[in-house]
Amino acid sequence: MRTTFPVEKMKGMQTPFYYYDTDLLRSTLDAVNAETAKYGNYFVHYAVKANANKKILAVINEKGMGIDCVSGWEMEAVLDAGFPASKIVFAGVGKSDWEINLGLDKGICCFNVESIPELEIINELAAAKGKVATVCFRINPNVGAHTHANITTGLAENKFGIAMEDMERVIALAGTMKNICFKGLHFHIGSQILEMDDFVALCERINELQDKLEQSGIHIEIINVGGGLGIDYDNPNEHPVPDFESYFATYHRHLKLREGQTLHFELGRSLVAQCGSLITKVLYVKQGSYKQFAIVDAGMTDLIRPALYQAHHEIENITSDRGEEIYDVVGPICESSDVFDKGVKLNGVQRGDLLALRSAGAYGEIMASGYNCRPLPKGYVSDEL
Ligand code: LLP
């Protein structure tokens, strides 16, 4: 299932813009649903932080996924898109009162609570409304993930979650709060994880913790293992759909679920990254003293991942079949980190050519900024072009 670009249509469009291949998105979601159906008690919540484009949300809702939110604004966006509140989980280290109130009013599935002070405020706000908030505790399992330092989250040094050793105390405290109903445990060790062993390490930590909690007579209904499954940025055409089979099978094999427990996942990148490309127009080809630059009209404001995480996105010249040459592909922003990639082999580039920066469906459009007073990029789905 290789993404093809409607090049003739694109030539007439204002660039830069995001282009989403909805056939690929649907196949990806179908693959997830086929795998989770094997197990019966597995539920996927799309991590909307990866991409909140309305047209993408509509497809994801069509496929019956739940949602993982990290802000009240995300909650509003997914409620607008028609997702049921009962399938929303809400995480984040710094939830504002209005965000907690919104979750309470809408009756979301669960608050993933990250500290005792937050738990106390949720209890207070729920009491004021005469409601009971369902909560899971986000636990910092102190498990490292083999990924970029900026996107690892499960280490003791990170700001996220409550320490494993404080768990029993916190659960006991929750038991004393009238407006809190403790349901389970939440984890997330990082993002763009390709080694299944990292998830195995998480399963082992959860197993240990469950054994310990069970000895103290604590019953858990929900286990939420977060997201983190990575994608193949180097080969988007060869691996358009991530290996969901191995991912879910790893949890099935290594996590000891108890009778009646449900297992929840918060997948972001693996659902939407490969279906998206940033389409940009070449403004100039500039000969430097020892290299040539393809200067394009998209910048780090449109796709910040290369500048922020030294992330690699494959680049294709979709309007040229001239012989290959080597370029540094750079944007127009006044920052020397505004470079998409260096030494890239592209079909000969001329002014006006369109380049596609691949695997940009996750953490692309949503992380765009208005630096240099630039407008935010638009997003189009293949269904509408
Ligand atoms: N659950 C929680 C609690 C999270 O913090 C995240 C991502 C996810 C789920 C979804 O993770 P995913 O399945 O997408 O790996 N902007 C970075 C990624 C930041 C991820 C933040 N948390 C990037 O562009 O690589």
Side-chain angles (χ1 to χ4, degrees):
M1 151 132 306
R2 191 194 163 114
T3 292
T4 51
F5 298 96
V7 173
E8 287 313 311
K9 279 242 170 72
M10 287 178 165
K11 279 181 182 164
M13 291 168 64
Q14 179 72 47
T15 49
F17 61 86
Y18 277 88
Y19 173 73
Y20 301 108
D21 176 348
T22 31
D23 288 340
L24 176 56
L25 176 59
R26 287 196 177 92
S27 304
T28 306
L29 300 171
D30 287 344
V32 170
N33 284 337
E35 291 306 319
T36 52
K38 289 182 184 169
Y39 306 108
N41 53 348
Y42 286 16
F43 297 93
V44 174
H45 302 259
Y46 168 56
V48 67
K49 63 175 79 63
N51 189 324
N53 182 299
K54 281 189 177 151
K55 298 161 206 167
I56 298 286
L57 291 182
V59 177
I60 293 174
N61 193 21
E62 189 188 291
K63 296 290 179 184
M65 309 257 159
I67 287 284
D68 158 41
C69 283
V70 288
S71 76
W73 295 283
E74 283 189 355
M75 224 185 295
E76 286 172 345
V78 299
L79 289 167
D80 270 2
F83 286 87
S86 60
K87 285 190 182 175
I88 297 176
V89 298
F90 179 24
V93 282
K95 299 180 186 75
S96 298
D97 293 14
W98 76 268
E99 297 177 301
I100 295 170
N101 279 326
L102 180 64
L104 290 169
D105 289 341
K106 299 294 176 186
I108 59 169
C109 162
C110 181
F111 289 86
N112 289 329
V113 174
E114 306 222 9
S115 67
I116 293 176
E118 179 195 331
L119 181 68
E120 288 167 346
I121 294 299
I122 296 177
N123 185 44
E124 225 175 273
L125 294 174
K129 290 178 181 294
K131 296 198 173 194
V132 173
T134 302
V135 306
C136 285
F137 290 124
R138 177 165 181 179
I139 298 172
N140 188 326
N142 200 14
V143 169
H146 295 89
T147 186
H148 191 277
N150 288 10
I151 53 175
T152 176
T153 48
L155 286 175
E157 68 186 58
N158 298 127
K159 69 180 175 182
F160 300 101
I162 299 169
M164 287 270 258
E165 54 273 22
D166 292 338
M167 230 35 255
E168 281 169 88
R169 192 165 62 86
V170 178
I171 294 171
L173 176 66
T176 66
M177 295 181 172
K178 282 207 193 70
N179 299 82
I180 295 289
C181 171
F182 166 73
K183 278 273 174 77
L185 309 175
H186 174 231
F187 306 82
H188 175 75
I189 55 172
S191 201
Q192 184 52 19
I193 297 169
L194 290 165
E195 296 190 28
M196 291 301 134
D197 280 356
D198 291 340
F199 298 120
V200 173
L202 173 62
C203 291
E204 285 165 358
R205 277 302 161 86
I206 300 175
N207 292 339
E208 273 168 41
L209 182 62
Q210 281 231 81
D211 289 345
K212 208 166 139 218
L213 294 179
E214 232 163 39
Q215 282 164 16
S216 313
I218 295 167
H219 175 67
I220 308 287
E221 273 178 51
I222 297 176
I223 305 261
N224 180 337
V225 290
L229 176 62
I231 61 138
D232 189 348
Y233 280 99
D234 296 331
N235 303 290
N237 291 330
E238 290 75 4
H239 297 127
V241 179
D243 184 1
F244 294 115
E245 187 178 355
S246 305
Y247 175 71
F248 291 111
T250 298
Y251 280 100
H252 181 65
R253 216 169 294 134
H254 296 277
L255 186 63
K256 289 188 220 136
L257 283 187
R258 307 323 198 233
E259 188 68 30
Q261 280 183 337
T262 53
L263 183 59
H264 298 248
F265 300 85
E266 300 172 343
L267 295 174
R269 184 189 321 265
S270 53
L271 303 191
V272 294
Q274 293 294 36
C275 79
S277 298
L278 174 62
I279 308 295
T280 180
K281 193 170 276 172
V282 176
L283 297 172
Y284 305 104
V285 177
K286 169 163 128 173
Q287 302 301 327
S289 49
Y290 66 99
K291 51 165 78 170
Q292 54 182 352
F293 297 94
I295 302 172
V296 298
D297 64 359
M300 61 193 285
T301 49
D302 304 296
L303 177 64
I304 201 174
R305 303 194 68 260
L308 195 57
Y309 316 114
Q310 296 74 52
H312 170 72
H313 287 261
E314 282 289 306
I315 306 179
E316 271 174 51
N317 186 342
I318 57 173
T319 46
S320 162
D321 50 15
R322 294 179 283 272
E324 285 181 335
E325 291 186 43
I326 308 284
Y327 301 87
D328 280 13
V329 178
V330 303
I333 311 296
C334 298
E335 293 276 344
S336 39
S337 54
D338 186 30
V339 174
F340 287 122
D341 211 349
K342 293 184 177 171
V344 193
K345 216 184 264 175
L346 294 174
N347 288 105
V349 173
Q350 287 181 356
R351 174 174 166 84
D353 279 350
L354 293 179
L355 306 188
L357 282 87
R358 305 293 309 277
S359 314
Y363 308 110
E365 186 180 353
I366 195 76
M367 290 181 79
S369 79
Y371 184 41
N372 287 186
C373 287
R374 288 167 62 86
L376 296 179
K378 291 203 166 61
Y380 300 95
V381 293
S382 46
D383 292 347
E384 66 187 322
L385 292 192

